[in-house]
Amino acid sequence: MITPALHAAVEAIMREASERAILPHYQSLAASEIDNKAVDDVVTIADREAEALLTQRLSALLPEAAVVGEEAVFEDASVMERLKDGLCWIVDPVDGTNNFAAGKPPFGVIVALADRGEILGGWILDCLSGRFCHAGLGTGAWINGERITARTTGESTPIAAISTIFLDEGAREKVLTHIAPHYRLVDIPRCAAEQYPRLLLGTNDISVFNRTLPWDHAAGVLLLNEAGGKAARPDGSAYRADEYERRDLIGASSPSLWDDFAKIVAKIG
């Protein structure tokens, strides 16, 4: 299913979306082109234009595949049910929209292909640098055309990117009391298109995600696992794109680092 030709076609579509629908709006958004979807969650004209382009192009590429786009789901939550029905593109037209709307990096485009929740392919484009990551189930992970193996930071105190934004006070206190002593905590980039590559490239060792919506995570989970790292639910079960109501996900640059972190998480409940 995930052939070199398909990888190349998806990359071309994503770069077209970046060049035609996203970058022309970067650092030039009018106030009327930014809307609030929820507290601390915005959508811009670039999100809408990019999703329309991606939906059209990906649908033409694989007519048998449905499309689940972040903005389409915002307008109609029932679109999510397509993830359970069969072959499906999953689209995040602008990942890191808050950064994009503020006129700063990082932000990117994320696309995944799944079949009844199983992730078959994943593609991540950094719009500003042009860095392109892709992976196919069972065929490895690649960055800018070169096969990649995830590497750790090599630090004696592993580096963990953990957001406490969506945690309640009790959960935040657990992080500070039980996890912080074992790791050097760093802030998250608020952009999965950047956070997953950091686990491959020796920038971070651990990332913890509380919200695990498929357009943010399907591609990154496949990329990390195919590169020899590990992304899974805290109980060790696999991440599936159709289990979008579940929360919590751990990503690590090596399986051993994942195991060590998961043991701590299990102890604190």
Side-chain angles (χ1 to χ4, degrees):
M1 173 67 72
I2 309 300
T3 64
L6 184 63
H7 281 307
V10 174
E11 178 178 359
I13 290 169
M14 293 170 71
R15 290 192 184 279
E16 180 186 4
S18 177
E19 292 165 7
R20 291 185 54 189
I22 299 172
L23 291 179
H25 295 293
Y26 183 51
Q27 297 182 333
S28 64
L29 288 167
S32 61
E33 295 174 328
I34 306 172
D35 295 318
N36 290 312
K37 293 197 293 187
V39 176
D40 203 32
D41 188 12
V42 301
V43 60
T44 74
I45 186 174
D47 296 80
R48 296 187 174 108
E49 290 183 356
E51 184 161 309
L53 189 155
L54 290 161
T55 299
Q56 180 185 46
R57 298 284 194 270
L58 294 171
S59 295
L61 184 61
L62 284 181
E64 66 272 30
V67 179
V68 172
E70 178 179 6
E71 306 315 326
V73 171
F74 177 69
E75 297 296 332
D76 179 4
S78 69
V79 171
M80 288 288 266
E81 294 299 312
R82 297 173 186 171
L83 291 166
K84 302 176 181 180
D85 295 337
L87 198 62
C88 184
W89 293 108
I90 304 167
V91 174
D92 192 341
V94 181
D95 182 64
T97 300
N98 281 44
N99 298 334
F100 177 81
K104 63 181 184 181
F107 57 90
V109 183
I110 304 178
V111 172
L113 184 65
D115 188 4
R116 294 178 178 84
E118 182 181 28
I119 307 159
L120 306 179
W123 300 267
I124 301 175
L125 173 66
D126 182 299
C127 295
L128 290 178
S129 72
R131 181 189 64 205
F132 189 74
C133 309
H134 74 269
L137 182 62
T139 61
W142 307 75
I143 296 181
N144 293 335
E146 295 187 4
R147 189 157 186 169
I148 184 78
T149 298
R151 60 179 185 266
T152 70
T153 64
E155 298 289 332
S156 56
T157 302
I159 298 175
I162 301 177
S163 172
T164 58
I165 294 174
F166 302 105
L167 300 181
D168 59 34
E169 185 175 347
R172 189 177 299 110
E173 181 61 29
K174 286 182 179 179
V175 168
L176 296 177
T177 301
H178 299 285
I179 295 177
H182 304 282
Y183 297 88
R184 178 157 70 86
L185 302 187
V186 297
D187 203 4
I188 64 168
R190 300 203 65 183
C191 174
E194 172 64 19
Q195 199 158 354
Y196 279 101
R198 288 184 181 184
L199 290 170
L200 273 67
L201 295 171
T203 303
N204 293 336
D205 293 299
I206 298 287
S207 283
V208 177
F209 307 96
N210 303 114
R211 297 194 305 175
T212 60
L213 294 167
W215 45 80
D216 290 325
H217 297 284
V221 165
L222 182 65
L223 182 74
L224 183 56
N225 285 330
E226 287 292 325
K230 183 174 180 178
R233 300 292 186 181
D235 63 2
S237 61
Y239 176 88
R240 292 181 52 85
D242 58 350
E243 295 178 343
Y244 43 80
E245 294 181 353
R246 292 186 65 181
R247 299 176 67 89
D248 298 331
L249 177 66
I250 301 170
S253 54
S254 76
S256 61
L257 282 168
W258 192 97
D259 291 342
D260 291 343
F261 189 86
K263 288 176 184 176
I264 294 174
V265 171
K267 288 179 180 178
I268 64 178

